[in-house]
Amino acid sequence: MRIKKCCNMRHIMYSKLVRYSARLLVAFALAFYIGSPVSADHPADKLTLDIETRVFHAKHDIRQAGKEASVVQFSRLAVAASWTEVWSRPGKREHRTIHARLWNQPIRAALERYDAVFLPKRDRPYYINEPIVLKSGQRLRADRDTEIRLVPGTNPCMVRNERLTSGQNGPIPPNVEPDTGIMIEGGIWTTLATSPTESNGNVRGRAAKRSGVAACHGVIILSNLRGVVVRNVIVRQSRAHAVQLSNCCEFLVEGVAFDDHRRDGIHVNGPASYGVIRNIQGVTGDDCIALNAWDWCNTAPSFGPIGKVVVERIHGDPRRGGTDEIRLLPGTKTFSDGTKLDCPVHDCVFRDLHDIRTFKIYDQPNLELGRDKDFSDPIGTVKNIYFENLTFNRPGRFQIAVNVDGLSINDVRLKFPIIKFQKEDYTLVEIGPMSQTYRFNSKEPSRWVELFSPDRDVTIRGFHLANVHVNIGNEVESLNRAEDRLVKISDQKLNPNYPKTTPRGGTGKVILVR
């Protein structure tokens, strides 16, 4: 019995050693793979390791095509066509007549034959007039400098997967078969929104030209996918979200840049889990990164929890005109039959972020369809959210007006000059219900709209701000009592002088649980 027990103990110890060694090997591989240190002790690092290990394995499981066809091999299938493009510049509006070939059929033929297609660089753009549809196991790759344009007036997305699924009428069933193992790499993609007011008829970013899953809204639409990689893509002058993901698991989006883009950059709708979004930069007209578990129904194909996502190495640029904002939007979706779906944002890590202007963590009713027609009831919750290694060369802020159950902000560097550190001088974190009036350029108050939810209470549990460093002259010093100095917690109050002065204000309060 002693021998048997001893052997069992050795077997257990050996098994533990093997598991520990495997864990170390994965950690070292991930450290090389993601370029950041990992630790199994810190909660955020432990969560990051879990997420990136899963995504790392899924990435390597994506089938690498044995042969990749150049689309030029199928150029005989390209169809000649003509149309007009509008190019707007300050003080000038130019109409150009274009005679070119459409490359949808050559791309489709290459994918059907080889499951992988490459678009080489050439001296003129490739034009498409309907979405490139990728099936499971397929890969679309373009040279970094290859430009792909959407023909004016067609109005769909440019790339999507095959098995899109709608969650507009209820939660997506768990037995829906997803697409798997898809890769999109390279290329400059544009729908020809050549100015802030000119879209060349391409506004919607739909799943198809005339039909398809409702409320899709992107240049690249990825819905109902398990295992997908989008890398080294440039989205230029487009009106819909650059990359919209929904009902996705095990996704990697990296090296994406935005060139004078008009709306959101990487926009994730729930349900979604186990994702990595990193190395993102450029100019967007709205949120650079958005994790919208609940969302406005006219631009979200589905709703549900978003969890286990790492967002890292995101670069704003104070010298350019982008919004440089990150949004987390939890909520509660109410479907047409009255059923409700909790849509939290949970267990996410945001790290190595540079010059983000605003972290938008607040409730916001639908301002396009009407705030009384589409809103979260009750408001949502963010849980176990970590922000780490943040650098501000200009003032930035967190605006928190949802329920919180664990939110940590750690390792912050404020590099812009601040003479004094009193509450009234600079606020890094604003907690509490918000109120702002949008007037629609009207002097009639009956047309004015409240942008936020000032009458909703918010409950804040487990909030922490630590390790803030500031520039004092030429020295970098740690800021003592950072929470006392840089966090403002405020209830809403009704404005007795509204509408003579705005905003209206409200009755919402902060319930702070230490």
Side-chain angles (χ1 to χ4, degrees), residues 368-442:
E368 294 179 346
L369 297 184
R371 57 173 294 119
D372 58 335
K373 297 179 180 179
D374 183 26
F375 56 92
S376 174
D377 183 27
I379 62 172
T381 300
V382 296
K383 182 176 182 180
N384 297 335
I385 306 297
Y386 300 91
F387 292 92
E388 307 218 327
N389 189 13
L390 313 182
T391 300
F392 296 91
N393 290 293
R394 63 177 174 194
R397 61 179 175 171
F398 287 79
Q399 295 179 307
I400 302 175
V402 296
N403 296 321
V404 171
D405 188 3
L407 190 154
S408 170
I409 305 172
N410 183 49
D411 191 10
V412 179
R413 291 181 294 282
L414 305 177
K415 291 189 172 183
F416 54 91
I418 297 179
I419 299 175
K420 297 179 181 179
F421 283 96
Q422 304 295 332
K423 278 191 174 181
E424 62 271 22
D425 292 325
Y426 171 64
T427 301
L428 175 64
V429 183
E430 302 169 1
I431 299 177
M434 300 166 58
S435 180
Q436 183 176 339
T437 301
Y438 185 59
R439 300 190 182 203
F440 291 100
N441 295 319
S442 171

Side-chain angles (χ1 to χ4, degrees), residues 7 17 23 65 94 105 107 114-115 157 180 184 186 197 213 250 278 350 358 363 368 386 391:
C7 290
L17 179 62
R23 187 179 181 187
E94 179 185 355
Q105 187 55 35
I107 294 171
Y114 296 103
D115 283 332
C157 66
T180 60
I184 302 165
T197 58
V213 171
E250 298 169 356
R278 67 186 187 191
F350 298 78
T358 310
D363 183 60
E368 294 179 346
Y386 300 91
T391 300

Side-chain angles (χ1 to χ4, degrees), residues 75-308:
S75 61
R76 67 187 183 281
L77 300 176
V79 178
S82 300
W83 57 87
T84 299
E85 295 175 359
V86 180
W87 289 81
S88 297
R89 294 180 174 84
K92 185 177 182 181
R93 183 179 172 89
E94 179 185 355
H95 290 74
R96 301 178 186 174
T97 300
I98 304 298
H99 303 282
R101 294 196 295 171
L102 303 178
W103 287 83
N104 294 86
Q105 187 55 35
I107 294 171
R108 187 181 302 116
L111 287 170
E112 288 177 354
R113 184 167 180 179
Y114 296 103
D115 283 332
V117 62
F118 175 64
L119 279 60
K121 180 182 176 181
R122 60 187 206 143
D123 59 1
R124 53 194 180 279
Y126 295 88
Y127 280 94
I128 59 175
N129 65 347
E130 59 184 5
I132 299 168
V133 179
L134 299 175
K135 300 178 181 180
S136 291
Q138 292 188 333
R139 182 172 67 182
L140 169 64
R141 195 169 68 88
D143 187 278
R144 179 95 180 170
D145 297 321
T146 294
E147 184 177 4
I148 306 96
R149 294 181 180 178
L150 184 65
V151 171
T154 51
N155 218 15
C157 66
M158 297 185 73
V159 184
R160 69 170 177 87
N161 62 298
E162 181 185 27
R163 294 180 175 137
L164 304 183
T165 302
S166 175
Q168 283 275 312
N169 298 319
I172 294 179
N175 60 345
V176 173
E177 185 177 359
D179 283 318
T180 60
I182 285 175
M183 181 176 291
I184 302 165
E185 182 174 2
I188 302 169
W189 302 81
T190 177
T191 65
L192 295 175
T194 54
S195 79
T197 58
E198 179 56 62
S199 301
N200 271 290
N202 294 328
V203 177
R204 185 63 248 173
R206 297 177 294 199
K209 289 174 68 172
R210 295 178 180 83
S211 61
V213 171
C216 288
H217 183 64
V219 179
I220 298 173
I221 293 175
L222 303 168
S223 169
N224 191 35
L225 260 164
R226 186 183 186 97
V228 60
V229 174
V230 180
R231 61 151 56 103
N232 301 332
V233 165
I234 298 173
V235 178
R236 172 181 292 165
Q237 294 183 329
S238 297
R239 189 67 59 188
H241 303 322
V243 181
Q244 183 185 49
L245 301 103
S246 61
N247 192 33
C248 286
C249 178
E250 298 169 356
F251 57 91
L252 171 63
V253 181
E254 65 177 350
V256 176
F258 312 113
D259 183 5
D260 205 17
H261 182 55
R262 310 299 182 196
R263 202 158 187 178
D264 283 10
I266 311 304
H267 186 102
V268 182
N269 287 119
S273 62
Y274 286 101
V276 174
I277 302 169
R278 67 186 187 191
N279 295 336
I280 309 297
Q281 60 186 329
V283 173
T284 58
D286 206 342
D287 307 319
C288 175
I289 308 290
L291 303 187
N292 289 14
W294 178 89
D295 206 346
W296 299 356
C297 64
N298 51 314
T299 58
S302 63
F303 315 87
I306 295 178
K308 299 294 183 72

